[in-house]
Amino acid sequence: MAERSWSLANVFRGVFGNGGDREEALVDDDTWDELEIALISADFGPDIAESILGRLREQADRHRVTRVSELRLMLREALEERLAAYDPTLRLSESPAVILVVGVNGVGKTTTIGKLANYLGSLGKRVVLGAADTFRAAAVEQLATWAERARVDIVRPEQQGQDPASVAFQTVARASNEGHDIAIIDTAGRLQTKGGLMDELSKVRRVIEKQAPVAEVLLVLDATTGQNGLTQAEAFIEHAGVTGLVLTKLDGSAKGGFVLAVQEKTGLPVKLVGQGEGIGDLTGFTPHVFAAQLIG
Ligand code: GDP
């Protein structure tokens, strides 16, 4: 997946400068204040911001760090190390590998599925999509449009409101029968009926597992909702057996710290990052690339 340059680093420009113009500047009290503000603005959340600052101060004292440029490197390394504590690899070795995609409406689930299908297709994988959000005709149509764009197959409900579990079942059956490598199942995201939705997702999962293990349950979160997105995540993590996270809408967002916050708060790895509405705007998650983009 393509590496892009994001505008994530913007919040740190005030502290570390732009293009080396503060390379020689000395660390003083203002630097620490500015760094704290930048960490909060980047949406690390107060707890993580405090722990990062505490450790950096200790390290800076120990190594008698005087230059802003050294502080920048220390922060980048610390961040990379914390981000890398989680394994971002997608587990797709089973055949078919079933990926269940969950999350509330509007976070970018369908778009992510389209981009992921296209990416996997470009690797030579045979992919089938399952439109298991059966109550919204528009959702099925939207997924069908992505299937066409990504040139992959799709299993659609025979009628609106068909049991989502039966669409998921048919999708995995088709993958097994026709030799698809990967089945990606879209699911509903009606938050107003949380209990019902969680029951529905459990049923979808149970029914799939009659034929094949579920390789990944990816929870899609909108990075622009920041810390609020974490509350939504909890119900899914508790009930849907989530194995990894997808963060969408990180393009043009200054909230890159949310990536670390979300990993540390949920204990789950970020496996994919969405950075635009186009078919190529999805990347895997690489801690050192991300840390460099964020800190500059
Ligand atoms: P769903 O309801 O969760 O399936 O969400 P959709 O896939 O329909 O996406 C909702 C909106 O977010 C659409 O307008 C998408 O184009 C947009 N979107 C999805 N992913 C991204 C992303 O990574 N960046 C940006 N800027 N927009 C995105």
Side-chain angles (χ1 to χ4, degrees):
M1 285 175 254
E3 301 292 1
R4 299 290 182 92
S5 64
W6 300 333
S7 52
L8 290 169
N10 283 347
V11 290
F12 289 97
R13 292 226 169 103
V15 192
F16 299 127
N18 198 0
D21 60 355
R22 296 205 67 201
E23 280 294 289
E24 296 303 314
L26 296 178
V27 176
D28 57 19
D29 286 347
D30 285 349
T31 317
W32 291 107
D33 290 346
E34 284 164 14
L35 188 54
E36 181 171 10
I37 292 167
L39 287 166
I40 301 282
S41 319
D43 219 13
F44 281 86
D47 301 349
I48 294 178
E50 203 179 300
S51 86
I52 290 177
L53 274 178
R55 274 191 234 170
L56 271 188
R57 269 187 185 275
E58 225 175 80
Q59 230 182 327
D61 281 349
R62 202 163 1 108
H63 299 292
R64 299 189 208 297
V65 165
T66 52
R67 299 205 185 277
V68 166
S69 56
E70 295 170 90
L71 192 60
R72 178 168 62 82
L73 289 180
M74 269 170 37
L75 173 61
R76 206 163 76 185
E77 271 173 28
L79 193 58
E80 187 181 327
E81 196 183 306
R82 280 174 81 155
L83 287 169
Y86 300 84
D87 179 6
T89 321
L90 278 177
R91 309 257 162 241
L92 301 175
S93 48
E94 295 95 347
S95 193
V98 182
I99 306 177
L100 205 55
V101 182
V102 303
V104 300
N105 286 338
V107 290
K109 234 176 341 168
T110 315
T111 309
T112 297
I113 293 172
K115 294 172 185 173
L116 182 60
N118 185 65
Y119 169 68
L120 294 169
S122 75
L123 297 180
K125 304 279 185 199
R126 288 198 62 215
V127 180
V128 58
L129 307 184
D133 182 359
T134 60
F135 283 88
R136 290 190 311 150
V140 176
E141 286 319 311
Q142 198 192 345
L143 194 70
T145 306
W146 276 109
E148 210 171 291
R149 264 194 238 168
R151 299 205 185 89
V152 299
D153 295 325
I154 180 167
V155 172
R156 308 163 62 124
E158 278 141 29
Q159 74 254 349
Q160 193 174 340
Q162 183 184 332
D163 184 352
S166 81
V167 176
F169 186 87
Q170 284 162 13
T171 309
V172 178
R174 181 160 167 199
S176 301
N177 294 336
E178 296 183 13
H180 291 94
D181 302 297
I182 294 160
I184 311 178
I185 319 267
D186 190 15
T187 61
R190 300 175 303 278
L191 197 59
Q192 55 275 29
T193 55
K194 212 191 285 177
L197 177 57
M198 296 309 154
D199 289 347
E200 181 177 309
L201 292 176
S202 307
K203 184 173 172 198
V204 165
R205 198 192 164 106
R206 270 200 317 278
V207 167
I208 292 173
E209 282 171 342
K210 287 186 179 153
Q211 302 177 87
V214 174
E216 292 276 4
V217 180
L218 298 179
L219 171 64
V220 183
L221 295 173
D222 175 343
T224 63
T225 63
Q227 303 281 321
N228 294 336
L230 286 170
T231 320
Q232 288 178 1
E234 279 166 13
F236 286 95
I237 290 167
E238 211 173 303
H239 300 287
V242 177
T243 57
L245 307 170
V246 181
L247 288 192
T248 60
K249 311 188 193 182
L250 263 171
D251 47 306
S253 161
K255 299 191 167 186
F258 186 56
V259 177
L260 183 62
V262 88
Q263 285 198 151
E264 295 197 352
K265 293 262 161 69
T266 63
L268 289 164
V270 171
K271 297 204 165 185
L272 296 168
V273 167
Q275 45 180 357
E277 297 180 89
I279 199 158
D281 296 330
L282 185 77
T283 63
F285 182 65
T286 320
H288 78 270
V289 173
F290 191 80
Q293 284 172 330
L294 186 58
I295 306 304

